[in-house]
């Protein structure tokens, strides 16, 4: 199945002790570019989350947002820095002696001194948290991938429709090209008759001119390659998978053949069709930029 690089997914898990939410969204990118926003408490799991993402996608610019709340009653604890408290008291006593003033420090005063008492989050159980992150990430990733597949299916159908239209234009050029040579032969014959005012036309010379002209405007090779590229792109779309880079290459080759066909064209109808062909190729290239 074809997948778009545009998608969104979200999953939430909560119980009476913790709440974890993972959201992810993506847009097109040449490679896999991941930006993860984690709470400081879970910063250790960034590389783990990156490895999980690679199970699900290969390309795209992905933003992942992780929100975590510890709902338990014992989620924090107080830390007493005894050594720092003693230092405060030692210098308070020295100031009292040096300045000959009373030392009025009480326990409540010491507790308010910076860093004597601090609050710290309880350490998380790493193994338990890893399993929880994997579970929630899996839920978010599944909905994320599903939205990419739905969008990818729409892109596939649109491109297949444009490829059918392209095939019609190519068929027109293929059918019209021999007629141009035949028409040129007749025009050349009439011109030579007018110039020479004689019905005895040098057929050999005329055929040589026609051959040179036919060779100059011949687009047989371009037509063959265009038809081949169209069919190859159809097959890749139907087969599915991560084919974005392959499709982009094919679109570039199509554009090259269309340019060559236009440069050789001496017929207004073929020129008009060639322009329509290039317009379609450009639209397809834009769509392909969103395919994984």
């Amino acid at each position: 199945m074809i997948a778009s690089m545009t998608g969104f997914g979200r999953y939430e898990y909560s119980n009476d002790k913790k709440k974890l939410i993972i959201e992810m969204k993506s847009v097109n990118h040449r490679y896999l570019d991941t930006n993860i926003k984690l709470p400081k408490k879970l910063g250790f799991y960034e590389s783990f989350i990156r490895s999980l993402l690679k199970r699900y996608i290969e390309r795209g610019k992905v933003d992942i947002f992780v929100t975590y709340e510890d709902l338990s009653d014992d989620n924090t604890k107080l830390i007493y820095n005894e050594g720092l408290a003693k230092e405060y008291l030692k210098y308070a006593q020295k100031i009292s002696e040096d300045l000959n003033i009373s030392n009025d420090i009480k326990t409540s005063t010491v507790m308010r001194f910076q860093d004597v008492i601090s609050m710290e989050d309880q350490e998380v159980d790493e193994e338990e948290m890893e399993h929880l992150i994997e579970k929630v990430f899996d839920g978010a990733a599944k909905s994320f991938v599903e939205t990419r597949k739905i969008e990818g299916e729409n892109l596939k159908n649109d491109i297949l429709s444009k490829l059918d239209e392209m095939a019609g234009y190519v068929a027109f050029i293929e059918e019209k090209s021999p007629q141009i040579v035949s028409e040129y032969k007749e025009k050349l014959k009439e011109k030579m008759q007018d110039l020479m005012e004689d019905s005895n036309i040098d057929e050999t010379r005329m055929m040589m001119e026609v051959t040179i002209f036919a060779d100059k405007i011949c687009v047989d090779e371009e037509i063959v390659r265009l038809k081949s590229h169209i069919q190859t792109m159809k097959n890749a779309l139907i087969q599915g998978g991560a084919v974005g880079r392959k499709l982009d290459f094919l679109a570039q080759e199509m554009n090259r053949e269309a340019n060559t066909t236009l440069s050789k064209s001496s017929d207004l109808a073929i020129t008009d069709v060639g322009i329509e062909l290039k317009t379609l190729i450009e639209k397809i290239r834009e769509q392909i930029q969103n395919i994984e």
Side-chain angles (χ1 to χ4, degrees), residues 89-267:
L89 288 175
K90 182 177 75 173
Y91 282 102
Q93 182 63 34
K94 182 172 175 50
I95 292 172
S96 174
E97 294 172 356
D98 290 347
L99 301 180
N100 194 25
I101 57 177
S102 64
N103 188 348
D104 58 353
I105 292 181
K106 299 179 180 180
T107 302
S108 59
T109 307
V110 176
M111 289 183 66
R112 289 195 295 271
F113 288 156
Q114 186 175 352
D115 295 330
V116 170
I117 301 294
S118 59
M119 191 165 59
E120 184 179 276
D121 289 339
Q122 293 279 33
E123 293 295 324
V124 298
D125 184 317
E126 292 186 7
E127 186 175 350
E128 180 185 353
M129 180 57 69
E130 187 172 293
H131 288 311
L132 179 58
I133 289 175
E134 185 170 9
K135 176 183 177 179
V136 177
F137 188 91
D138 182 66
K142 283 179 178 177
S143 61
F144 171 70
V145 169
E146 187 60 29
T147 61
R148 285 165 63 105
K149 285 181 178 179
I150 292 171
E151 177 65 17
E153 190 67 14
N154 293 333
L155 288 173
K156 182 187 82 171
N157 293 333
D158 182 67
I159 294 173
L160 285 173
S161 174
K162 286 180 171 60
L163 289 172
D164 287 337
E165 194 174 349
M166 279 180 59
Y169 288 141
V170 172
F172 174 84
I173 296 172
E174 186 177 26
E175 181 181 354
K176 182 72 173 175
S177 294
Q179 297 176 19
I180 297 173
V181 176
S182 178
E183 291 169 3
Y184 176 77
K185 180 179 178 181
E186 290 302 316
K187 290 179 180 178
L188 184 61
K189 185 174 182 179
E190 291 173 6
K191 186 175 181 179
M192 291 179 71
Q193 284 178 336
D194 292 340
L195 290 173
M196 299 178 66
E197 296 181 352
D198 188 356
S199 60
N200 295 322
I201 304 293
D202 187 342
E203 290 289 336
T204 302
R205 176 63 184 276
M206 187 177 73
M207 288 307 299
M208 183 182 298
E209 292 290 336
V210 171
T211 301
I212 293 172
F213 176 77
D215 184 63
K216 183 179 178 181
I217 68 165
C218 179
V219 290
D220 289 353
E221 292 183 10
E222 287 76 13
I223 293 298
V224 169
R225 285 194 285 266
L226 275 169
K227 290 166 72 174
S228 174
H229 294 331
I230 289 172
Q231 190 57 51
T232 301
M233 186 174 285
K234 281 185 176 182
N235 293 341
L237 285 165
I238 293 169
Q239 181 179 353
V243 294
R245 289 191 180 93
K246 180 179 182 180
L247 296 181
D248 189 47
F249 171 76
L250 287 169
Q252 291 179 44
E253 292 302 303
M254 286 178 178
N255 193 57
R256 190 197 313 276
E257 303 303 336
N259 282 334
T260 305
T261 300
L262 269 173
S263 68
K264 290 183 176 182
S265 174
S266 62
D267 180 80

Side-chain angles (χ1 to χ4, degrees), residues 11-156:
Y11 194 82
E12 177 179 330
Y13 170 86
S14 63
N15 57 24
D16 58 343
K17 291 186 176 181
K18 55 179 68 73
K19 180 178 181 180
L20 182 66
I21 302 171
I22 295 182
E23 294 181 347
M24 47 204 309
K25 62 180 182 178
S26 69
V27 293
N28 62 307
H29 195 274
R30 190 174 181 182
Y31 305 107
L32 179 57
D33 180 20
T34 310
N35 178 45
I36 303 174
K37 293 187 177 179
L38 282 163
K40 184 178 180 181
K41 193 171 185 178
L42 303 183
F44 174 77
Y45 297 96
E46 180 173 342
S47 60
F48 177 62
I49 291 174
R50 289 182 185 276
S51 66
L52 291 177
L53 180 64
K54 291 178 181 178
R55 298 179 185 177
Y56 296 92
I57 66 170
E58 294 183 27
R59 295 175 67 200
K61 186 180 188 306
V62 186
D63 291 310
I64 300 174
F65 304 92
V66 181
T67 305
Y68 176 71
E69 291 182 56
D70 191 332
L71 306 176
S72 60
D73 295 333
D74 58 346
N75 61 342
T76 57
K77 63 179 180 179
L78 294 178
I79 305 297
Y80 165 47
N81 192 329
E82 182 181 355
L84 185 60
K86 288 180 178 179
E87 284 291 306
Y88 276 124
L89 288 175
K90 182 177 75 173
Y91 282 102
Q93 182 63 34
K94 182 172 175 50
I95 292 172
S96 174
E97 294 172 356
D98 290 347
L99 301 180
N100 194 25
I101 57 177
S102 64
N103 188 348
D104 58 353
I105 292 181
K106 299 179 180 180
T107 302
S108 59
T109 307
V110 176
M111 289 183 66
R112 289 195 295 271
F113 288 156
Q114 186 175 352
D115 295 330
V116 170
I117 301 294
S118 59
M119 191 165 59
E120 184 179 276
D121 289 339
Q122 293 279 33
E123 293 295 324
V124 298
D125 184 317
E126 292 186 7
E127 186 175 350
E128 180 185 353
M129 180 57 69
E130 187 172 293
H131 288 311
L132 179 58
I133 289 175
E134 185 170 9
K135 176 183 177 179
V136 177
F137 188 91
D138 182 66
K142 283 179 178 177
S143 61
F144 171 70
V145 169
E146 187 60 29
T147 61
R148 285 165 63 105
K149 285 181 178 179
I150 292 171
E151 177 65 17
E153 190 67 14
N154 293 333
L155 288 173
K156 182 187 82 171

